């Protein structure tokens, strides 16, 4: 109750007493009754003061808070800036009072005792490191970036310049004239649309086969127990460690004289030759022996091992077998890993020349065409003459072919970049 209300109550009580006193002759009220009424009113007032001081003080506190907030609002921006500037100046002066500069450390180093020398030597070294390390880090990153980007910059600079400017010493990076004739010549010389179509057919089919078969194999290694599991997984690791050159000749002989337990020879009279056909690459991918298949199996194994076992238990309780559990539960949870394996597989097949050149006698993919682009462009420019020419004379067409070979894979990466990065983060590469 507020002070004003208490005051009103007292006034009302006094007024009632006066009225009672005035009406005493009529009502025959005694002085003792009047005294008791006054005493009762005083007790009520004292109890109100004792039990509700906080209630009476709340309006005053609210008024004070409002006044303080109003005073704070009235401060202008200039005054706030001046106060902040003064605070920074005080902090600066405080630091300066206890700060010892590097020059002072060098100047007074002989005057310090042993403990002071250790302390100031540490301070001096840390300050020098803080100044030198950013410069050193910039030089390292700049050097690495230049080493990585130099071939790309040179490729772009060369592919857009005329051949005559290759021997012009005044042209360093930016050509005097930008042309597209080099790309047109390369496009026609190697029949770019047909080569790209053949490359996509080989790469996409092989990559899809590897995505499926390596996923099944990795899931088996991650979730099931069977005989010779450790031995078979050791063979998978050997597939990663052993160079492909060791097994390439046996692979070639196997597909050059392809025969399943003598059945093909019995029917056709001689083994079947799968060389110079994409079937040889398809079969390798299907049987988990394609390019980098061991890495993909390991990646899938690590990812499936990280999934909770309760997912499979719930599927088994719902009546799913191992196959349906894999299809309905594991595959939806492994979408990012599937995409990661698919992109890696396409890139490695796209850039491969060693394995594909073993099974194709003529250039069949874009990587093989780029590898033989010098011969292709010489034949195109000389109308089929036998002149081999020098690589430096045809550098502009060679670099233009490299740019054309990178464009499709670069577009694919730009489109799938977000999902690819997410897949790498959630896959077994970081497990």
């Amino acid at each position: 109750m507020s002070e004003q209300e208490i005051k009103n109550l007292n006034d009302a009580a006094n007024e009632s007493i006066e009225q009672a006193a005035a009406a005493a002759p009529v009502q025959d009220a005694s002085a003792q009754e009047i005294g008791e009424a006054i005493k009762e009113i005083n007790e009520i007032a004292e109890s109100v003061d004792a039990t509700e001081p906080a209630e009476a003080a709340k309006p005053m506190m609210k008024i004070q808070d409002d006044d303080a907030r109003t005073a704070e609002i009235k401060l202008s921006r200039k005054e706030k800036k001046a106060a902040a500037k003064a605070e920074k100046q005080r902090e600066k002066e405080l630091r300066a009072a206890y700060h010892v500069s590097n020059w002072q450390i060098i100047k007074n180093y002989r005057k310090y005792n042993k403990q002071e020398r250790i302390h100031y030597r540490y301070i001096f070294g840390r300050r020098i490191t803080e100044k030198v390390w950013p410069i050193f880090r910039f030089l390292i990153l700049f050097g690495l970036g230049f080493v990585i980007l130099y071939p790309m910059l040179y490729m772009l600079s060369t592919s857009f310049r005329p051949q005559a400017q290759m021997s012009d010493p005044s042209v360093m990076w930016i050509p005097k004239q930008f042309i597209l004739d080099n790309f047109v010549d390369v496009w026609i010389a190697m029949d770019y649309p047909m080569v790209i179509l053949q490359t996509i057919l080989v790469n996409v089919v092989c990559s899809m086969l590897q995505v499926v078969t390596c996923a099944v194999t990795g899931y088996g290694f991650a979730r099931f127990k069977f005989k010779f599991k450790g031995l078979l997984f050791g063979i998978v690791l050997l597939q990663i460690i052993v160079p492909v050159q060791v097994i390439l000749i046996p692979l070639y002989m196997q597909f050059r004289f392809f025969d399943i337990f003598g059945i093909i020879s019995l029917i056709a009279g001689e083994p079947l030759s799968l060389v110079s056909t994409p079937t040889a690459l398809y079969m390798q991918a299907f049987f988990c022996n394609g390019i980098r298949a061991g890495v993909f199996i390991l990646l899938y194994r690590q990812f499936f091992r990280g999934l909770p076992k309760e997912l499979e238990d719930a599927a088994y309780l719902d009546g799913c077998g191992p196959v349906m559990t894999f299809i309905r539960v594991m595959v939806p949870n492994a979408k990012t890993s599937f995409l990661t394996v698919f992109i890696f597989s396409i890139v490695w097949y796209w850039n491969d020349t060693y394995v594909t050149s073993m099974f194709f006698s003529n250039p069949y993919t874009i990587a093989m065409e780029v590898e033989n682009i010098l011969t292709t462009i010489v034949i195109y420019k000389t109308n089929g003459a036998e002149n081999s020419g020098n690589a430096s004379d045809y550098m502009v067409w060679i670099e233009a072919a490299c740019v054309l070979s990178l464009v499709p894979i670069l577009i694919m990466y730009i489109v799938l970049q977000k999902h690819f990065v997410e897949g790498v983060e959630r896959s077994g590469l970081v497990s």
Side-chain angles (χ1 to χ4, degrees):
M1 186 178 293
S2 63
E3 294 179 357
Q4 185 65 31
E5 292 176 349
I6 296 172
K7 184 178 180 182
N8 293 336
L9 182 61
N10 292 329
D11 294 339
N14 294 329
E15 185 178 354
S16 300
I17 293 170
E18 292 175 357
Q19 292 176 359
V26 180
Q27 299 179 358
D28 197 18
S30 64
Q32 184 178 359
E33 293 176 349
I34 296 173
E36 291 177 355
I38 295 173
K39 184 178 180 180
E40 184 178 354
I41 292 172
N42 291 333
E43 290 177 355
I44 294 172
E46 291 176 358
S47 63
V48 169
D49 292 338
T51 56
E52 297 184 359
E55 295 292 335
K58 281 183 180 179
M60 297 300 296
M61 295 173 62
K62 184 176 181 181
I63 293 172
Q64 292 177 358
D65 292 340
D66 293 340
D67 293 341
R69 193 176 295 108
T70 304
E72 183 179 354
I73 293 173
K74 288 182 179 179
L75 288 176
S76 63
R77 292 183 178 180
K78 187 178 294 185
E79 291 175 344
K80 290 182 179 180
K81 288 183 179 180
K85 187 175 181 180
E87 183 66 23
K88 289 183 180 180
Q89 184 64 27
R90 284 195 298 270
E91 292 179 359
K92 186 176 180 180
E93 292 176 356
L94 186 62
R95 286 197 303 268
Y98 295 95
H99 179 76
V100 180
S101 64
N102 293 337
W103 171 247
Q104 290 176 337
I105 293 175
I106 297 174
K107 182 179 179 181
N108 301 323
Y109 185 75
R110 295 184 178 180
K111 300 179 182 179
Y112 297 144
N113 56 34
K114 184 177 180 180
Q115 294 297 329
E116 290 176 338
R117 289 185 178 184
I118 295 174
H119 172 72
Y120 285 114
R121 193 160 55 233
Y122 169 76
I123 297 297
F124 184 80
R126 190 176 64 180
R127 291 175 182 173
I128 296 298
T129 303
E130 290 175 355
K131 298 294 183 182
V132 173
W133 171 242
I135 301 174
F136 184 69
R137 181 177 56 194
F138 169 78
L139 294 176
I140 292 176
L141 295 177
F142 181 80
L144 292 176
F146 183 78
V147 170
I148 295 172
L149 294 178
Y150 174 79
M152 302 294 295
L153 296 175
Y154 181 79
M155 178 180 64
L156 293 174
S157 174
T158 305
S159 60
F160 286 99
R161 71 176 65 178
Q163 184 186 20
Q165 294 185 18
M166 288 298 298
S167 56
D168 189 349
S170 62
V171 178
M172 296 298 294
W173 288 101
I174 302 176
K176 296 179 180 178
Q177 180 184 2
F178 288 88
I179 63 171
L180 297 176
D181 296 342
N182 302 329
F183 296 97
V184 175
D185 294 338
V186 170
W187 185 290
I188 298 173
M190 66 180 184
D191 194 6
Y192 184 76
M194 180 58 67
V195 172
I196 287 295
L197 179 60
Q198 294 175 171
T199 305
I200 291 175
L201 287 176
V202 171
N203 289 5
V204 172
V205 173
C206 289
S207 299
M208 292 299 295
L209 289 173
Q210 286 203 142
V211 165
V212 175
T213 56
C214 292
V216 174
T217 306
Y219 179 67
F221 280 118
R223 291 304 196 189
F224 298 101
K225 295 181 180 180
F226 49 88
K227 290 184 178 181
F228 308 112
K229 176 181 176 180
L231 177 62
L232 293 176
F233 189 70
I235 295 175
V236 172
L237 296 180
L238 285 176
Q239 194 176 8
I240 301 173
I241 298 171
V242 175
V244 67
Q245 292 84 351
V246 175
I247 62 173
L248 197 56
I249 293 178
L251 275 177
Y252 175 82
M253 297 302 296
Q254 182 180 6
F255 290 105
R256 174 62 181 84
F257 304 99
F258 187 75
D259 196 357
I260 303 175
F261 302 112
I263 298 175
I264 297 178
S265 298
L266 182 62
I267 298 174
E270 62 179 5
L272 182 64
S273 177
L274 299 180
V275 176
S276 298
T277 63
T279 308
L281 298 177
Y282 295 161
M283 293 188 67
Q284 292 181 56
F286 180 78
F287 290 103
C288 298
N289 197 29
I291 299 175
R292 305 293 192 278
V295 176
F296 301 146
I297 293 174
L298 180 62
L299 188 149
Y300 277 124
R301 174 181 177 269
Q302 293 299 103
F303 179 81
F304 286 127
R305 287 183 65 184
L307 293 179
K309 184 68 174 175
E310 289 75 12
L311 293 174
E312 294 171 293
D313 296 338
Y316 292 150
L317 290 175
D318 291 338
C320 293
V323 177
M324 295 307 298
T325 300
F326 174 75
I327 295 174
R328 293 187 177 182
V329 178
M330 291 301 174
V331 171
N333 285 282
K335 289 187 295 185
T336 54
S337 291
F338 275 83
L339 181 62
T340 303
V341 171
F342 178 74
I343 294 178
F344 274 133
S345 182
I346 275 197
V347 170
W348 279 329
Y349 269 104
W350 189 277
N351 296 324
D352 177 72
T353 58
Y354 190 82
V355 176
T356 52
S357 62
M358 180 63 71
F359 295 99
F360 292 97
S361 55
N362 296 322
Y364 191 83
T365 63
I366 188 66
M368 296 176 66
E369 282 287 358
V370 172
E371 187 180 27
N372 296 277
I373 189 61
L374 177 59
T375 304
T376 303
I377 200 67
V378 165
I379 294 174
Y380 173 75
K381 299 297 288 185
T382 58
N383 296 322
E386 294 295 332
N387 182 20
S388 61
N390 298 320
S392 59
D393 299 333
Y394 299 93
M395 186 60 67
V396 291
W397 291 285
I398 295 174
E399 299 297 343
C402 294
V403 173
L404 288 179
S405 69
L406 292 176
V407 169
I409 205 73
L410 187 61
I411 293 174
M412 183 199 70
Y413 179 76
I414 292 174
V415 173
L416 301 176
Q417 179 185 10
K418 177 181 177 181
H419 305 285
F420 173 70
V421 174
E422 180 183 357
V424 171
E425 290 177 351
R426 297 183 58 186
S427 66
L429 290 178
V430 294
S431 296

